[in-house]
Amino acid sequence: MIRFFATIFSRKLTRLLTFAAAGLFPACGNSSNALKINDLEKETQMAVPRSKIPVEDRWNVEALYSTEAAWKEDFEIAQGNEAVRWPELGEYKGRLSDPKALSTLLDTYFGIDRKLSKLHVYAHLRMDEDLGNDKFKSDYGLISTLFYDFQHASAWIEPELLSLDDIQFQKLLAHAELKPYRFYLEKIGRMRPHTLNREQEELLALSGQALDASHRTFNALNNADMTFAAAIDSQGKGHSLTHASYMAYLRSPDRALRKTAFINLHKSFEAHINTLCELIQGQVQGRLFLAKARKFEDCLEFALFPNQVESAVYTNLIASVRRNLPLMHEYIALRKKILGLSEIHVYDLSVPLAADVEIKMSYRDACKAVVASVAPLGETYQGHLRKGLMQDRWVDVYENARKRSGAYSSGCYDSMPYILLNYQGNLNDIFTLAHEAGHSMHTLLSKLHQPYIYSSYPIFVAEVASTFNEQLLMGHLKSVMKNKKELSYLINHQIEGIRSTIFRQTLFAEFELQIHRWAEEGRPLTPALLKEKYLELCRDYYGPDIVLDEEVAVEWARIPHFYTNFYVYQYATGLSAALALYEKAQNSADARAKYIEFLSSGGSRYPIDLLAKAGVDIRSSDPALSPVDAAMRRFSQLMEELKQCF
Ligand SMILES: [Zn+2]
């Protein structure tokens, strides 16, 4: 299928909203897997069949379609006549300079899109309940193919709009009939200087699969072919090392276990380092080719263009974090002192500082805590969330045999904002619930206040809503847990959130920018060059106390996000904006109202404009105004709080 540049830019592949936390997006705020090692080894045998999970702990898919037969019936109507699907779309070909025709076409187009999204959400939820169920897999395949056909059948729309001359296009933008579509058209219009003629566009579209080869190869190597030697605990016992168990081992108080997990995992990457370097090189070269073909200044500008984010937002983030690196150095030294270590290594960074404390909660108690925590956002917000979690069954709570791992929030305009969890009751699980509930409430409010076309929102703002709710939950838990050990555990969790989401992701962002710059200068990437740069960054970020083992130098080779094109910086800007908004909301009813307005705005403006309206200027490089600097001040306060606990 041919996907045109503007099509890719101005709307998502589907209009579905799926935001993942633990598991699916390893860099998301809640990524650390706090399973105890014993739990982890038992995990595979323990999973219960889905039929044993009580109905009240399963998401309410029946609200979407009462039976699979009802889904099938709707699907067959949507599928229509196989010979000419959606003939109503084709009628408008060649007529888009006429505002009336364009308006009717867009109504039709988004109407079909909306129906297919509903079908798609049901099929993907059912599939994720049981990844081994062939019927669900087949239904998911059917609707995915239909979506694909729909995209193919409508792929001419944006190129035709882009082929109009400037006067015609401006006339459309100004026309009263098209007022509901003005922002949508404006976004397409921005692509004009970077869109090629039809033949060239077709050629570029044909290169898509080949340009994606590095990413696919990395995934195959990383997820399927690569194996790791077992991690060995202090008793000499071996523990099977996988991507899933790695984070759990890094959080273990058993230092021998976390050390061998770290060393053995990275040794496998070192063994493939030439291949992995070529894969990164292939990825970067592909981006450079597209950036040049589309006449962008550089790869960074190309990547940030769709959300109208200036390159300065990216470079200011790096500058702000770098300004505050002494705080990270102080934290590393503090960690070393509290843990009583003579040397601190990278594998000592994730272990909780208060080792003999564990905060656990039943799922019902976690729901109560999350609902109580959002009280500052007002009764309407709280009421929606309470109903969703405790009555409407948004959430699929527990693990069952063959259920998708991790956690996400997903839904569409005509569904509930469903949440998938694999809840086990530890602190990370409780925060994952708050995180996903933040996404779901964002989705719900967007849907209640925006027309279909502007109800979905980009990741740039998504992570604000989810991490804001984590701050609310933290505030609530700190107010009810007075025990010093529990408090230190919570503060540690909060500090780790900022370390892993702002400092670490900015380190990644800086590395990512550098490798693209080298490619732009024509400098070949070699394992030695990448290792040297990565070590240099780790030295800068972690400071004089850290002891950098040689394995640290290959960490870049295992990060899947380096194949997702300047993506990670959004985790850092998202949490920074959330912290800044949270600070404002604590002291001002006006700020709280603006925050609700921000959530209700969906994707009706560019993300930076939405945030600015809520009171955060993510573009600012002024330390007094930059939300990144504000987050750094918060980090500093938290360190002071932590010191009081030990
Ligand atoms: Zn998220």
Side-chain angles (χ1 to χ4, degrees), residues 52-63:
K52 292 261 162 57
I53 305 282
V55 171
E56 63 268 25
D57 295 326
R58 298 189 218 167
W59 50 27
N60 187 0
V61 283
E62 295 79 19

Side-chain angles (χ1 to χ4, degrees), residues 374-388:
V374 301
L377 295 179
E379 285 196 4
T380 310
Y381 185 104
Q382 194 182 30
H384 279 307
L385 185 60
R386 183 186 293 113
K387 188 164 174 287

Side-chain angles (χ1 to χ4, degrees), residues 521-539:
E521 290 162 10
R523 185 168 178 182
L525 305 183
T526 63
L529 181 68
L530 299 188
K531 282 183 186 180
E532 191 196 332
K533 181 69 200 176
Y534 197 81
L535 270 186
E536 182 194 314
L537 286 170
C538 288
R539 241 178 263 122

Side-chain angles (χ1 to χ4, degrees), residues 418-433:
Y418 292 102
I419 294 173
L420 179 134
L421 297 179
N422 281 276
Y423 190 84
Q424 307 221 13
N426 57 49
L427 191 67
N428 274 301
D429 292 335
I430 303 163
F431 274 91
T432 300
L433 172 64

